Amino acid sequence: MWLKPEEVLLKNALKLWVTQKSSCYFILQRRRGHGEGGGRLTGRLVGALDAVLDSNARVAPFRILLQVPGSQVYSPIACGATLEEINQHWDWLEQNLLHTLSVFDNKDDIASFVKGKVKALIAEETSSRLAEQEEEPEKFREALVKFEARFNFPEAEKLVTYYSCCCWKGRVPRQGWLYLSINHLCFYSFFLGKELKLVVPWVDIQKLERTSNVFLTDTIRITTQNKERDFSMFLNLDEVFKVMEQLADVTLRRLLDNEVFDLDPDLQEPSQITKRDLEARAQNEFFRAFFRLPRKEKLHAVVDCSLWTPFSRCHTAGRMFTSDSYICFASREDGCCKIVLPLREVVSIEKMEDTSLLPHPIIVSIRSKVAFQFIELRDRDSLVEALLVRLKQVHANHPVHYDTSVDDDMASPVFHSTSMCGDHRFGDLEMVSSQSSEESEKEKSPLLHPDALVTAFQQSGSQSPDSQMSREQIKISLWNDHFVEYGRTVCMFRTEKIRKLVAMGIPESLRGRLWLLFSDAVTDLASHPGYYGNLVEESLGKCCLVTEEIERDLHRSLPEHPAFQNETGIAALRRVLTAYAHRNPKIGYCQSMNILTSVLLLYAKEEEAFWLLVAVCERMLPDYFNHRVIGAQVDQSVFEELIKGHLPELAEHMNDLSALASVSLSWFLTLFLSIMPLESAVNVVDCFFYDGIKAIFQLGLAVLEANAEDLCSSKDDGQALMILSRFLDHIKNEDSPGPPVGSHHAFFSDDQEPYPVTDISDLIRDSYEKFGDQSVEQIEHLRYKHRIRVLQGHEDTTKQNVLRVVIPEVSILPEDLEELYDLFKREHMMSCYWEQPRPTASRHDPSRPYAEQYRIDARQFAHLFQLVSPWTCGAHTEILAERTFRLLDDNMDQLIEFKAFVSCLDIMYNGEMNEKIKLLYRLHIPPALTENDRDSQSPLKNPLLSTSRPLVFGKPNGDAVDYQKQLKQMIKDLAKEKDKTEKELPKMSQREFIQFCKTLYSMFHEDPEENDLYQAIATVTTLLLQIGEVGQRSSSSGSCSQECGEELQASAPSPEDSVFADTGKTPQDSQAFPEEAQADWTVSLEHILASLLTEQSLVNFFEKPLDMKSKLENAKINQYNLKTSEMSHQSQSELKLSNL
């Protein structure tokens, strides 16, 4: 165990301890009298002393000391009761600390670092022990308080777990604490007087991997867009990595892949996620992937036990997995034995008498009169009780109809045998379909094709019929022998022997039925009598985009096969695809589903083909068939990593494996059916239904390995793709009873010289022998890793496409646009993190066009406006942001896209003066300015405007400027320009003009030229007041120039008058506009622009260059702080309201 470091002197202690190992900084010692074969006097005395001491006072026989070179002071940091225990601590120190300490120059720093690390390990061990005893130990509460204080997140940011570790900054490690929350990875360190805080959102992580560096053999590396961070020195790195893997996967899929991703029920509410939930999810994912069970299946217990295996006449050690509807078993030795027992097949679960030979046994009996014996089950009583409850529930939900009649298939010798336990017959392969339900289904849906299409459209091959039948009969005989020994139902023992039979190719007469068993589609078929017929009736005749796509692809589905050269096969294919699209609208129909379904219809009845399609799309190839085929891309990325591991020379030659992806992606989407002759590809499908996606991975590697030499000598990607296409087109199946069916890629063949033929059985055998070592657990971990990369790749594609559209339309630099996009996206994400979804808020929808995938609402826009807009107006900024949002929200859906946001900023930063004034003008007329505008409550709601303003202003040097002539000329010029305006903006009323002026005054606040700007805007405002008055008089009398001249001459000079008169200090010559006159007082954009151009200080203000980069840098730093402060203010307000 680790010890709290305390300094000791070794001068007098050397006689009691013997040094076993030593390094530059650590010493491993053994206490004399322990582990000595000899009988030295000193050792005997020390041993006797230790033996008589009280247990609390005894000294552990082994210890590790920290020694700093040049110092006489040592610090014990670990002790152990056994040599194995202390060696574990020593190995940990060597792997994690020893190489690290060399980077320190100061020996005091070394001692401080090691002691800090050991104390952190002790704290973590303590918290782990507490966590086992209670759900929320006190240590976790302390960590939560520190997490909240250090990072100031809103309450909604739940801490999941925390670990002591080191974060590497270059070659220097920083000891601290890693906090994993539902949306962020955070690290805090305070070491040698320096504080370090890191906050990394999970959605920003592009890579999460275990790696090694010069100093450490095992680290966790976090890669974001701009940085890599290494974390090491964990007490249990495996546990930490699994939790991080789960958190990253759940968060990224929840926020970036919600097109098809359904969270587990326990993870539906992110704020309730715990470490235990994540560990349970990892177990569930592995369980469903290993046994290929439905996604909704929830694992309840995993128990070590042994199963009686009659074929080996012994008990096989392994683990029992129990879930909602299944009991499963997997042997410890991979491939030795596996069984899947659907609870609807189970008749009884009984406890047997406990004996020394059969400790804690239970018997599980199934319908086909077979009993499975499990022994060595811990806590057997509670396990059986829980299983009986679920068994009762399953039988209540899906009553089983026992069938005593003999099906036609049962009459064949293949489906008759004696069981392992006696001379009784197994049930038929369907097991659970009653004859009465089948007959009612046929009556209800007379259009369904009753048989597999291959039986109706069988053709004779090139070989003699006797030769074909003899090969088929041999295979059937082998399978019949296997059924006798291992079982023939879905509950059969699945061993290495059956894998070899599958690799040889399943006989055509058994293929459809065995596909049903291996995929467990047979259980779905039996549990839903009449379901498919109802779907067909509901979906046929409905016309939509999906049905149009299906109709377009119907005649492209195996057109070379006779079964799909007539309406019988085409109609069956149409019904199955349309029914599935009706069942699962999220998937609907995707290309390649037609090819897969065509092959399923060849070997299975129509309803069976439907349930096989369900099993493939929803269980065996998750997320393959959707808008973005994420699942296929993830597996493609996994395949590329497997190529690098198994075929490094080929990977090195083809630096960019994306060229291979263009052809190998179809291997995964169509299971080789579209790029290999059909009679060969069905053998691949056999392996897929038995072994899952693992079969496709290893066969793909075998194909590349067979062509590795030619591929390495290829000159370009085109030649490499030609080599693969020719090879795949010449894969034959000598055992196929049918004739060869042409490949889709026959045109790649070169008939001028014969190409060597490869037998599919040999290729599959090689794939198992050379590349069959990949376990389901390894594949699932690789999928986690590469799903992050694929999802982030889609995010990058979205970003690049949005920027590609926006860049030509704005003057903002591309690198600044990227920063703005990241801020825009992060603002959207922060609302997803901590806020309840609002009616107007739209979550990320990857199925929408690129530009519409991320949109923000008014509140999010206000945050961004405050962070990046150059028009900061103090307290008035928020009001200006609201008006800007209303102006940009063209379709009134309360959401705006990135393009609109950037276009507005582009005018503010890079627009000409007239463009900026026009934008300001539009912000102060409808729809931006509304009758219920929040600013109507300001003191300037009803200011007094003087209508008798002078047009002569005094200058500091005593000169006077007469604007009367300028005003007359302006009115004439504007009248001429009016006809040239493309779309005239509505004129601004008095109320709107007041708000416009207030915004200008707010914008000038704290500007270096503030006084000059205020003087200039006062002058301009006076001009505009007179223009508005002139326009009002002119419209009433019809004589603009005369009224204007008289009004100007009647104006008395008063240079000290202000534009806005406070209601408490109203000048005597000021008067309020009459109510009836307010509606007629207007000014236009042209009036305002022309007036502003008369003041150079205003022109300089609007035309001065603005620095966007500094704004962006500050925005990146302050974006989180602004959001968290707002949310904390809201929570405090809610608390006050609740206390009232």
Side-chain angles (χ1 to χ4, degrees):
M1 60 180 290
W2 299 105
L3 299 176
K4 186 177 179 180
E6 295 179 356
E7 295 182 351
V8 296
L9 290 173
L10 293 190
K11 185 176 181 181
N12 299 320
L14 291 175
K15 296 178 181 179
L16 301 178
W17 296 89
V18 180
T19 298
Q20 299 278 95
K21 297 180 183 178
S22 64
S23 66
C24 299
Y25 304 100
F26 303 107
I27 301 174
L28 190 155
Q29 294 184 330
R30 172 181 55 81
R31 192 166 174 83
R32 292 184 184 275
H34 294 274
E36 291 181 339
R40 290 187 179 182
L41 180 61
T42 308
R44 289 183 179 182
L45 289 173
V46 175
L49 179 65
D50 289 345
V52 299
L53 284 175
D54 183 73
S55 59
N56 294 327
R58 288 178 189 168
V59 180
F62 299 95
R63 71 178 182 179
I64 297 175
L65 301 174
L66 166 66
Q67 65 162 5
V68 179
S71 173
Q72 295 297 316
V73 179
Y74 293 73
S75 302
I77 57 174
C79 66
T82 64
L83 185 60
E84 290 77 16
E85 180 185 357
I86 203 67
N87 276 334
Q88 287 180 1
H89 289 70
W90 181 267
D91 292 342
W92 191 93
L93 290 170
E94 282 191 330
Q95 293 173 11
N96 293 280
L97 281 185
L98 194 57
H99 302 292
T100 309
L101 300 180
S102 60
V103 304
F104 291 99
D105 297 328
N106 190 328
K107 62 183 182 181
D108 293 333
D109 292 347
I110 294 174
S112 299
F113 178 77
V114 174
K115 289 177 182 179
K117 185 63 194 172
V118 171
K119 288 177 182 177
L121 290 173
I122 294 170
E124 188 170 346
E125 280 186 338
T126 305
S127 65
S128 298
R129 287 195 296 270
L130 287 170
E132 293 174 1
Q133 298 170 5
E134 59 182 292
E135 193 168 343
E136 289 189 359
E138 192 63 33
K139 290 290 182 182
F140 186 85
R141 293 193 190 96
E142 291 178 12
L144 181 60
V145 170
K146 291 178 180 177
F147 170 72
E148 292 173 346
R150 288 167 176 171
F151 298 100
N152 194 32
F153 283 127
E155 291 182 8
E157 186 68 15
K158 184 180 186 302
L159 177 65
V160 176
T161 188
Y162 64 101
Y163 299 97
S164 166
C165 70
C166 280
C167 175
W168 288 78
K169 196 170 183 180
R171 296 178 58 189
V172 180
R174 296 292 299 265
Q175 168 64 34
W177 291 92
L178 181 71
Y179 298 92
L180 305 181
S181 65
I182 55 174
N183 298 304
H184 298 86
L185 177 151
C186 305
F187 178 80
Y188 179 85
S189 171
F190 187 83
F191 185 63
L192 301 178
K194 294 181 180 179
E195 186 178 54
L196 173 67
K197 287 184 184 180
L198 293 178
V199 177
V200 182
W202 292 112
V203 290
D204 287 356
I205 291 177
Q206 297 185 335
K207 271 187 186 178
L208 174 63
E209 56 190 342
R210 293 177 66 165
T211 183
S212 58
N213 60 23
V214 179
F215 306 104
L216 297 173
T217 56
D218 210 359
T219 64
I220 296 176
R221 175 167 293 171
I222 304 294
T223 305
T224 57
Q225 186 176 1
N226 302 317
K227 290 185 180 179
E228 287 183 350
R229 296 283 187 185
D230 287 343
F231 298 90
S232 63
M233 302 187 200
F234 294 97
L235 188 63
N236 186 342
L237 189 136
D238 290 334
E239 176 196 310
V240 178
F241 187 73
K242 285 179 181 177
V243 172
M244 292 172 72
E245 193 176 56
Q246 284 292 316
L247 263 174
D249 187 68
V250 168
T251 307
L252 262 73
R253 297 184 72 182
R254 172 168 55 86
L255 296 173
L256 304 183
D257 190 30
N258 54 16
E259 178 187 7
V260 294
F261 178 55
D262 294 321
L263 278 170
D264 297 338
D266 294 336
L267 304 177
Q268 290 288 355
E269 179 53 52
S271 62
Q272 302 302 317
I273 294 176
T274 64
K275 179 182 171 185
R276 189 176 300 174
D277 292 333
L278 294 171
E279 291 169 346
R281 178 180 184 265
Q283 271 198 326
N284 264 312
E285 293 279 339
F286 168 76
F287 166 68
R288 290 191 290 255
F290 188 79
F291 295 103
R292 295 189 295 284
L293 299 178
R295 278 189 171 186
K296 294 182 179 178
E297 202 63 26
K298 183 180 179 182
L299 182 66
H300 290 286
V302 181
V303 186
D304 290 330
C305 66
S306 295
L307 170 68
W308 174 253
T309 47
F311 53 87
S312 61
R313 300 185 179 280
C314 67
H315 283 92
T316 300
R319 291 190 297 173
M320 175 193 286
F321 301 80
T322 65
S323 65
D324 295 334
S325 308
Y326 291 86
I327 300 173
C328 303
F329 174 86
S331 60
R332 292 193 183 281
E333 184 182 347
D334 187 37
C336 177
C337 176
K338 184 169 76 173
I339 61 169
V340 177
L341 307 177
L343 285 181
R344 67 171 282 116
E345 288 306 298
V346 175
V347 176
S348 64
I349 302 172
E350 301 172 301
K351 291 183 287 187
M352 289 179 60
E353 184 180 352
D354 192 0
T355 66
S356 59
L357 293 177
L358 300 175
H360 311 298
I362 67 170
I363 297 291
V364 179
S365 303
I366 62 173
R367 286 183 53 208
S368 54
K369 301 179 182 178
V370 177
F372 295 88
Q373 183 189 77
F374 298 89
I375 64 171
E376 299 174 346
L377 288 155
R378 292 183 180 180
D379 201 9
R380 177 183 62 166
D381 294 343
S382 60
L383 177 68
V384 171
E385 184 180 349
L387 284 173
L388 288 173
V389 170
R390 289 197 288 275
L391 179 65
K392 183 178 180 181
Q393 186 176 0
V394 167
H395 283 281
N397 294 339
H398 302 285
V400 179
H401 303 282
Y402 293 95
D403 181 21
T404 56
S405 62
V406 179
D407 190 68
D408 293 339
D409 292 321
M410 290 294 297
S412 67
V414 178
F415 297 99
H416 280 288
S417 70
T418 57
S419 76
M420 297 167 283
C421 306
D423 294 333
H424 36 259
R425 180 171 58 83
F426 281 91
D428 66 294
L429 286 182
E430 283 188 82
M431 304 177 307
V432 287
S433 298
S434 67
Q435 187 173 358
S436 59
S437 66
E438 288 179 357
E439 289 175 355
S440 64
E441 180 69 18
K442 289 177 183 177
E443 291 175 5
K444 189 171 183 179
S445 304
L447 295 176
L448 303 187
H449 197 266
D451 300 310
L453 294 178
V454 76
T455 60
F457 297 94
Q458 185 70 53
Q459 288 183 307
S460 59
S462 56
Q463 301 173 347
S464 64
D466 292 340
S467 172
Q468 295 173 23
M469 290 308 297
S470 63
R471 292 191 179 189
E472 278 289 287
Q473 286 300 331
I474 291 171
K475 285 186 180 181
I476 290 174
S477 177
L478 290 172
W479 275 98
N480 190 34
D481 294 341
H482 186 274
F483 290 145
V484 171
E485 191 172 5
Y486 295 88
R488 69 181 65 250
T489 70
V490 72
C491 306
M492 67 173 68
F493 290 95
R494 306 181 191 198
T495 65
E496 193 62 36
K497 184 176 179 181
I498 196 171
R499 180 178 280 122
K500 292 178 180 178
L501 286 175
V502 171
M504 292 168 56
I506 299 174
E508 291 207 346
S509 58
L510 303 180
R511 179 164 277 139
R513 294 293 184 90
L514 286 172
W515 286 356
L516 281 168
L517 293 186
F518 294 153
S519 65
D520 196 37
V522 65
T523 301
D524 288 335
L525 171 67
S527 303
H528 300 83
Y531 178 83
Y532 174 67
N534 293 334
L535 275 182
V536 171
E537 288 186 357
E538 292 173 11
S539 59
L540 281 183
K542 291 187 177 180
C543 186
C544 60
L545 183 61
V546 171
T547 56
E548 291 175 7
E549 292 177 358
I550 291 173
E551 288 297 327
R552 190 166 56 246
D553 287 346
L554 285 176
H555 295 279
R556 305 174 187 172
S557 310
L558 300 186
E560 67 279 359
H561 198 284
F564 297 98
Q565 294 171 358
N566 65 80
E567 186 55 30
T568 303
I570 295 293
L573 180 60
R574 178 187 294 112
R575 288 192 293 269
V576 172
L577 291 175
T578 308
Y580 184 77
H582 192 69
R583 163 192 165 86
N584 192 342
K586 278 189 175 180
I587 291 178
Y589 169 76
C590 292
Q591 287 188 349
S592 77
M593 285 174 66
N594 58 322
I595 297 172
L596 176 61
T597 308
S598 303
V599 175
L600 298 178
L601 283 167
L602 287 178
Y603 297 100
K605 297 176 183 178
E606 188 175 321
E607 185 177 8
E608 295 171 347
F610 170 79
W611 287 110
L612 283 170
L613 182 64
V614 170
V616 171
C617 294
E618 298 176 13
R619 284 206 297 260
M620 303 184 73
L621 296 178
D623 298 341
Y624 263 56
F625 304 98
N626 55 49
H627 175 68
R628 300 189 295 174
V629 292
I630 292 290
Q633 291 186 54
V634 170
D635 283 347
Q636 176 64 45
S637 188
V638 170
F639 184 56
E640 290 177 11
E641 180 163 332
L642 293 177
I643 294 172
K644 293 174 183 176
H646 290 277
L647 304 170
E649 292 181 3
L650 177 61
E652 186 177 350
H653 175 75
M654 303 189 73
N655 293 325
D656 186 7
L657 290 175
S658 59
L660 277 178
S662 62
V663 64
S664 59
L665 186 62
S666 62
W667 301 357
F668 294 90
L669 283 170
T670 66
L671 307 178
F672 284 92
L673 290 168
S674 64
I675 42 83
M676 194 183 286
L678 179 62
E679 67 275 8
S680 304
V682 289
N683 283 30
V684 179
V685 181
D686 293 340
C687 298
F688 168 74
F689 274 115
Y690 184 76
D691 266 325
I693 195 63
K694 170 186 172 182
I696 307 301
F697 282 129
Q698 62 193 33
L699 187 69
L701 290 171
V703 168
L704 294 178
E705 195 256 355
N707 293 275
E709 187 175 343
D710 291 339
L711 289 172
C712 285
S713 60
S714 62
K715 297 178 181 179
D716 53 39
D717 294 341
Q719 186 179 356
L721 299 183
M722 181 73 75
I723 291 168
L724 288 175
S725 298
R726 283 167 59 91
F727 176 81
L728 291 166
D729 194 51
H730 287 81
I731 295 177
K732 304 300 179 186
N733 186 359
E734 300 295 337
D735 296 340
S736 175
V741 179
S743 168
H744 294 287
H745 290 270
F747 57 86
F748 281 116
S749 302
D750 185 0
D751 297 327
Q752 294 180 355
E753 56 183 64
Y755 191 87
V757 172
T758 304
D759 188 79
I760 185 63
S761 299
D762 295 337
L763 187 64
I764 290 175
R765 186 178 63 252
D766 287 347
S767 75
Y768 275 103
E769 291 175 355
K770 297 178 180 179
F771 309 107
D773 57 345
Q774 296 295 325
S775 68
V776 172
E777 191 170 14
Q778 289 172 324
I779 291 174
E780 286 303 301
H781 277 302
L782 287 173
R783 279 176 162 174
Y784 283 135
K785 173 182 175 181
H786 288 278
R787 188 178 291 112
I788 294 174
R789 192 189 71 80
V790 169
L791 288 174
Q792 293 293 11
H794 278 276
E795 290 299 299
D796 288 341
T797 301
T798 299
K799 178 178 177 178
Q800 296 307 320
N801 277 280
V802 172
L803 295 179
R804 180 172 50 82
V805 172
V806 173
I807 284 174
E809 299 188 12
V810 297
S811 303
I812 301 174
L813 295 174
E815 57 267 27
D816 291 342
L817 269 179
E818 286 196 39
E819 297 281 359
L820 281 170
Y821 181 90
D822 293 338
L823 289 169
F824 188 89
K825 176 181 171 182
R826 191 175 299 124
E827 189 65 41
H828 169 92
M829 286 299 175
M830 285 194 295
S831 296
C832 296
Y833 297 159
W834 305 316
E835 295 179 9
Q836 292 296 326
R838 295 187 293 278
T840 57
S842 174
R843 293 194 64 183
H844 171 56
D845 185 358
S847 64
R848 298 178 68 90
Y850 290 120
E852 299 177 15
Q853 289 189 16
Y854 288 108
R855 296 183 292 174
I856 57 175
D857 61 17
R859 187 187 300 177
Q860 296 160 358
F861 178 83
H863 293 157
L864 285 178
F865 190 90
Q866 185 175 345
L867 288 167
V868 298
S869 170
W871 292 355
T872 52
C873 309
H876 193 66
T877 304
E878 190 174 348
I879 296 166
L880 190 63
E882 290 177 5
R883 294 173 185 165
T884 309
F885 181 85
R886 285 195 291 266
L887 178 66
L888 298 177
D889 185 19
D890 294 331
N891 55 3
M892 308 291 286
D893 64 350
Q894 303 302 311
L895 295 167
I896 64 166
E897 301 163 8
F898 178 70
K899 183 179 178 181
F901 170 69
V902 170
S903 301
C904 176
L905 279 182
D906 186 45
I907 295 174
M908 294 180 182
Y909 277 98
N910 303 313
E912 299 291 337
M913 179 178 175
N914 62 327
E915 294 175 320
K916 294 179 181 180
I917 300 305
K918 183 177 180 181
L919 175 59
L920 272 173
Y921 184 91
R922 294 180 65 196
L923 291 177
H924 295 85
I925 59 174
L929 186 70
T930 62
E931 289 295 329
N932 298 320
D933 194 278
R934 197 146 57 98
D935 198 43
S936 62
Q937 303 301 319
S938 72
L940 290 175
K941 179 181 179 182
N942 293 310
L944 299 178
L945 297 181
S946 173
T947 57
S948 57
R949 295 298 182 190
L951 288 182
V952 179
F953 280 81
K955 291 294 182 179
N957 58 6
D959 297 336
V961 179
D962 188 355
Y963 289 103
Q964 295 182 20
K965 295 180 180 179
Q966 292 185 22
L967 181 56
K968 292 179 182 179
Q969 187 61 39
M970 273 170 38
I971 294 174
K972 291 179 181 178
D973 293 341
L974 290 172
K976 294 177 183 178
E977 293 293 329
K978 189 174 180 181
D979 297 333
K980 300 179 182 179
T981 308
E982 294 180 3
K983 183 180 179 182
E984 186 178 359
L985 291 171
K987 290 187 177 182
M988 185 178 280
S989 69
Q990 175 189 333
R991 172 180 172 272
E992 293 159 358
F993 178 69
I994 294 169
Q995 297 301 323
F996 178 84
C997 292
K998 180 178 181 183
T999 299
L1000 287 177
Y1001 268 84
S1002 302
M1003 289 172 64
F1004 301 151
H1005 184 58
E1006 294 186 357
D1007 190 275
E1009 307 295 329
E1010 182 177 355
N1011 291 332
D1012 291 342
L1013 290 170
Y1014 282 159
Q1015 179 66 28
I1017 197 62
T1019 304
V1020 168
T1021 307
T1022 302
L1023 280 173
L1024 291 170
L1025 288 172
Q1026 295 297 338
I1027 290 172
E1029 184 71 18
V1030 168
Q1032 179 183 2
R1033 300 286 181 88
S1034 146
S1035 61
S1036 62
S1037 66
S1039 176
C1040 175
S1041 58
Q1042 181 180 354
E1043 292 283 344
C1044 179
E1046 293 175 358
E1047 187 66 30
L1048 293 176
Q1049 290 173 3
S1051 301
S1054 179
E1056 285 144 11
D1057 276 347
S1058 64
V1059 177
F1060 293 101
D1062 184 56
T1063 54
K1065 300 178 181 179
T1066 307
Q1068 294 179 0
D1069 61 342
S1070 296
Q1071 61 179 12
F1073 278 104
E1075 290 296 325
E1076 61 273 11
Q1078 288 188 18
D1080 297 328
W1081 188 99
T1082 58
V1083 290
S1084 68
L1085 170 63
E1086 292 80 6
H1087 291 143
I1088 293 176
L1089 182 58
S1091 301
L1092 291 172
L1093 288 172
T1094 62
E1095 290 292 334
Q1096 189 61 42
S1097 58
L1098 293 176
V1099 174
N1100 293 340
F1101 177 83
F1102 283 106
E1103 291 191 345
K1104 67 181 178 183
L1106 299 171
D1107 182 19
M1108 178 179 279
K1109 292 188 183 296
S1110 60
K1111 274 279 187 180
L1112 293 176
E1113 288 299 322
N1114 289 329
K1116 286 193 292 184
I1117 297 170
N1118 298 320
Q1119 189 173 21
Y1120 265 79
N1121 295 336
L1122 182 64
K1123 185 72 174 179
T1124 53
S1125 62
E1126 184 210 25
M1127 293 203 66
S1128 61
H1129 178 71
Q1130 286 179 356
S1131 60
Q1132 290 172 5
S1133 301
E1134 291 171 2
L1135 182 62
K1136 289 178 182 177
L1137 288 172
S1138 62
N1139 292 333
L1140 291 177

